[in-house]
Amino acid sequence: MKERILVIGNGMAGIRCVEEIVKLEPNAYDITVIGKERTPAYDRIQLSTVLQGNGTVDELLIKPLDWYDEQKVTLRTDEAVTEIDKDQRLVYTNKGGALPYDRLIIATGSNPFIIPFPGIDKKGVITFRDIDDCNAMIESAKTKRKAVVIGGGLLGLEAARGLLNLNMEVSVVHNTDALMDRQLDATASKMLKDELEQQGMTFLMEKETTHVTGDEHVSGLAFKDGEEIEADLVVMAVGIKPNIALASETGLETNRGIVVDDFMKTSHPGIYAVGECAEHRGIAYGLVAPLYEQAAVLAKSISGDESGPYEGSVVFTKLKVSGVDVFSAGLFQEEEGVKAIRIHDESEGIYKKIMIADQKIVGTVMFGDTSDSSRILSYMRSEMNVEKMKKVALLEPEEDGGDDLVASMPESEIVCGCNGVTKGCITKAIQDQGLRTVGEIKGCTNASRSCGGCQPLVSQILEHTLGDVFDASDQQEPICGCTSLSRNEIVEAIREKGIQTTKEVYHVLDFENKEGCSKCRPSLNYYLGMLFPEEYEDEAASRFVNERMHANIQNDGTFSVVPRMYGGVTTSDQLRKIAEVSDKYEIKMLKVTGGQRIDMLGAKKDDLPSIWADLDMPSGYAYGKALRTVKTCVGEQFCRFGTQDSIGLGVRLEKKFERLQTPHKVKMAVSACPRSCAESGFKDVGIIGVDGAWELYVGGNGGINVQGGHLLATVTTDEEVMKTTGAYLQYYRETANYLERTSAWVERVGIDHVKEVLSDEEEKNNLNNRIDIALRATRDPWKEALEDRTVRQQFETILQP
Ligand SMILES: Cc1cc2nc3c(=O)[nH]c(=O)nc-3n(C[C@H](O)[C@H](O)[C@H](O)COP(=O)(O)OP(=O)(O)OC[C@H]3O[C@@H](n4cnc5c(N)ncnc54)[C@H](O)[C@@H]3O)c2cc1C
Ligand code: SF4
């Protein structure tokens, strides 16, 4: 007779143990699984995704029913174990009868924590743990309007986002002053709150609920400070408690969870515990990644292999809300002996912090860009020594594209924590099934199917495994979490279907998040404007704050005003005007910039329109994804080395291309001889005079990633410079990703490719025709705000949030 294994709980841990056991020793045991829920094991973490309107509960089953038959596993659903007789090795269920076992696995998970304040048992108050809760929310949204979620943690916010998608008005009540305060520091928490408010959530912070109001059905919540809020539905999401009742009644050692050793054995021989109900070395985990590691150790232990103990897990959190990239792992608050390295880009909404103690990374928090999360997590898991590293480089993408990291990862390391997919499983699938894209890997192995946090690492594994066969252009990465469509697919669809607004894009192209996010909103606004320059109405709300304000916000909350000075040339009249305006509006500092103009720093927000009116100069677009400056050297007009009129050409270029919207900022320079005093070799477009000709350099960058420009063409006349520059800029506008600088774009598409495109005279003319149309449609934003009452009103509402 085969040894009998009985599993209590057909949740994510229970089924994973069974999977591991049958994988290791097929058909070796007589396995029975008893689950209280009606449905066979399903992917609980995807409930948030279903609630947000993506997929149905039927798609969540971890294994189809056939699988249980094939593996000869007896599945008993809708049945609860009520008692364990550990001496007789029997379990009793609510359906009667006793079931014998040789080994017992307890995988009873957790129960939602319910604060027992008065009125909690009223109709319309629910938790968020299982399929029934998810269905109850979907049903409720069909007839009710106001939802209140208690708890501003991961689960509460995912529930709140789902209810918003179901068209409910959603308020989140939280008892502290910061959301996700167990995973995020104050900065990330504030950024998260701002983003969710933009998506339509309302927050009641530092509120202590005293009771639920209403008769039979909930009508609202009352708070300690005397305030009340109306509610047709209340979702309590304040935490979980390991489900240990059965184990403690049986006399097993329990604490917060069922106490287990490094092989998941409880205090009684032959009984194991795994998943959220288990407590290992004092920790009861509330996430899935640990349970995959626990299940693998448990299965090996049953097979007699106790060579690799479970030593605990490094856990991470990734919020599954479309359009919000948040990642947190390990320590996130500063404390003694721990040093933090941070970058915070307010204009792009990006914040990253890593925590270092004893030369190891012990925690990280990321908001707005989580593309480095897998790499940092891997460093944390391997306890890599960072002593000799330039620490800030840890927050920058790896130069080798992550190849070293991938090569050093053991095959057994879990890459996708949500679905328990190892590096070995991914590489095998790539090799055996000829996979070529991350999308194919997702479909085949489930890696990156859930929170998507491991997508960059999956991509690196793909690149590493395929070697030369890897083709970046195949990759078609989605532009953000709101959609699975890539930039090219979106631009193509907008063009084909003649889509005219961002709203239409979200609906026609079936974005998961119909409001968009801080990543896709500005990108779509750019792509639509680029494709339909004459028809498209620019959406100010979709732009980054500096672009909305037409000025750069400074670290003290004031603004900087930079008027245009063509080619860096000014006059005494202009200088007098700048001086007068500066005195009148108490400008804190006048600074000559590297782009050869004057920056008026410290302007008050409310004074901006009056400053523009008094200056009566065009905007210098110092804040825009647009042409910034054309820097010039003095050239033949004054310099004894000058062979060309650099100022004349620079002014002509700036006058022609000013106000041009581009994927990222564009800087130009013209120098009249190879001494290149205007630093033309490091510009997006740099022009250098040589004997009787102009050399055009493109794709240069003098910023963080210094890059010398590539020679695009040598031409003899100013006319040809204008034409080549126009064609080049338009080709960049049409083919670059939004926020891709020309240096990265040229590197991606290749300078030879750009040369080839521009060598076709007809194509060059067409590109110039299209850029001329785009330029004709532009207007000076400062003038527009002053002259057009509606525009100014719109602008003023933005100024007074
Ligand atoms: C909405 C939601 C989103 C989540 N998102 C994430 C995420 O993004 N990332 C992450 O890592 N984790 C996430 N989690 C947590 C994750 O789902 C859990 O960590 C995981 O499901 C725990 O697995 P488990 O098997 O221990 O418990 P469960 O999956 O809860 O399974 C326990 C099962 O045992 C059954 N059971 C209990 N008592 C008995 C009994 N006496 N007899 C028979 N059956 C019994 C229960 O009915 C249940 O089906 C999320 C959870 C929820 C609810
Ligand atoms: S680049 Fe040549 S021409 Fe221009 S200022 Fe310098 S030395 Fe003179």
Side-chain angles (χ1 to χ4, degrees), residues 171-187:
S171 305
V172 176
V173 175
H174 193 56
N175 62 348
T176 72
D177 61 354
L179 297 177
M180 286 184 67
D181 45 356
R182 290 197 205 142
Q183 290 95 8
L184 303 182
D185 64 6
T187 308

Side-chain angles (χ1 to χ4, degrees), residues 60-124:
L60 299 189
L61 290 195
I62 294 174
K63 293 286 172 198
L65 277 173
D66 294 354
W67 180 86
Y68 294 87
D69 290 343
E70 282 160 19
Q71 302 299 330
K72 310 229 167 8
V73 173
T74 309
L75 173 64
R76 298 169 70 127
T77 54
D78 200 12
E79 184 168 359
V81 171
T82 49
E83 191 188 333
I84 302 168
D85 182 340
K86 61 182 188 312
D87 301 322
Q88 299 298 318
R89 298 203 167 200
L90 289 173
V91 301
Y92 295 89
T93 79
N94 61 350
K95 297 232 167 128
L99 294 164
Y101 67 82
D102 298 307
R103 292 182 203 248
L104 182 68
I105 299 173
I106 304 177
T108 46
S110 293
N111 291 321
F113 188 75
I114 295 174
I115 309 172
F117 37 64
I120 198 70
D121 49 356
K122 290 191 197 303
K123 281 194 187 143

Side-chain angles (χ1 to χ4, degrees), residues 363-596:
T364 184
V365 176
M366 297 181 185
F367 186 93
D369 174 8
T370 55
S371 52
D372 291 324
S373 56
S374 307
R375 184 169 56 88
I376 300 295
L377 193 64
S378 183
Y379 293 162
M380 283 173 71
R381 284 185 170 141
S382 63
E383 300 191 352
M384 189 179 80
N385 189 313
V386 294
E387 186 178 7
K388 299 214 167 71
M389 292 188 73
K390 196 175 147 223
K391 304 291 187 309
V392 79
L394 289 166
L395 288 167
E396 290 163 5
E398 290 187 309
E399 278 175 15
D400 65 357
D403 226 35
D404 275 358
L405 169 73
V406 172
S408 65
M409 276 174 79
E411 295 293 293
S412 58
E413 186 164 330
I414 288 186
V415 171
C416 172
C418 298
N419 296 293
V421 189
T422 59
K423 176 190 162 194
C425 169
I426 295 171
T427 41
K428 189 165 180 329
I430 295 168
Q431 282 156 351
D432 293 357
Q433 304 189 39
L435 309 182
R436 290 286 178 273
T437 67
V438 173
E440 286 173 350
I441 295 175
K442 193 193 285 186
C444 184
T445 66
N446 275 343
S448 84
R449 185 170 71 111
S450 302
C451 75
C454 62
Q455 200 160 299
L457 186 54
V458 174
S459 177
Q460 283 164 15
I461 294 174
L462 182 68
E463 198 169 341
H464 177 80
T465 313
L466 290 181
D468 290 347
V469 185
F470 178 80
D471 185 349
S473 62
D474 276 353
Q475 294 315 306
Q476 304 282 309
E477 292 295 323
I479 60 163
C480 67
C482 305
T483 176
S484 57
L485 298 174
S486 66
R487 178 260 183 222
N488 289 356
E489 288 167 328
I490 290 171
V491 169
E492 208 36 56
I494 293 176
R495 204 193 309 262
E496 251 177 39
K497 296 177 199 289
I499 298 173
Q500 295 288 334
T501 64
T502 50
K503 269 258 168 311
E504 264 187 88
V505 175
Y506 301 135
H507 286 89
V508 177
L509 303 186
D510 199 20
F511 273 44
E512 286 168 19
N513 175 8
K514 302 284 186 276
E515 299 298 318
C517 68
S518 52
K519 255 190 190 165
C520 63
R521 277 195 300 262
S523 320
L524 294 178
N525 188 50
Y526 168 74
Y527 296 137
L528 284 159
M530 177 270 289
L531 289 168
F532 308 114
E534 289 171 306
E535 301 85 3
Y536 181 63
E537 283 281 333
D538 188 75
E539 290 173 9
S542 297
R543 288 187 172 272
F544 291 119
V545 59
N546 287 344
E547 291 189 294
R548 291 203 305 263
M549 308 297 282
H550 304 298
N552 278 323
I553 190 160
Q554 304 298 305
N555 58 10
D556 61 355
T558 62
F559 288 81
S560 100
V561 174
V562 184
R564 199 169 280 288
M565 286 175 179
Y566 299 99
V569 180
T570 186
T571 61
S572 50
D573 277 349
Q574 273 185 352
L575 291 175
R576 257 190 296 275
K577 205 151 38 175
I578 289 172
E580 278 159 17
V581 170
S582 174
D583 287 346
K584 181 170 168 188
Y585 296 98
E586 294 170 353
I587 294 298
K588 289 187 189 159
M589 180 187 275
L590 291 174
K591 166 104 180 59
V592 177
T593 72
Q596 300 182 338

Side-chain angles (χ1 to χ4, degrees), residues 336-353:
E336 220 183 299
V338 180
K339 290 217 162 63
I341 299 163
R342 344 180 159 71
I343 51 170
H344 188 181
D345 182 339
E346 287 185 16
S347 63
E348 310 277 325
I350 292 171
Y351 174 69
K352 298 184 191 182
K353 176 170 94 170

Side-chain angles (χ1 to χ4, degrees), residues 8-15 34-37 39 42-48 79-82 107-111 128-130 154-155 158 240 243 246 274-277 285-291 316-318 320 417-418 450-451:
I8 308 177
N10 191 21
M12 298 188 74
I15 188 71
I34 305 178
K36 203 158 67 171
E37 292 185 71
T39 326
Y42 58 89
D43 187 348
R44 196 174 299 283
I45 73 175
Q46 294 281 357
L47 286 177
S48 307
E79 184 168 359
V81 171
T82 49
T108 46
S110 293
N111 291 321
F128 188 22
R129 179 73 194 174
D130 57 27
L154 178 110
L155 208 58
E158 290 184 3
I240 52 169
N243 189 356
L246 207 52
V274 67
E276 280 188 355
C277 65
Y285 294 96
L287 294 162
V288 288
L291 71 81
F316 65 91
T317 309
K318 172 114 177 30
K320 302 188 295 301
C418 298
S450 302
C451 75

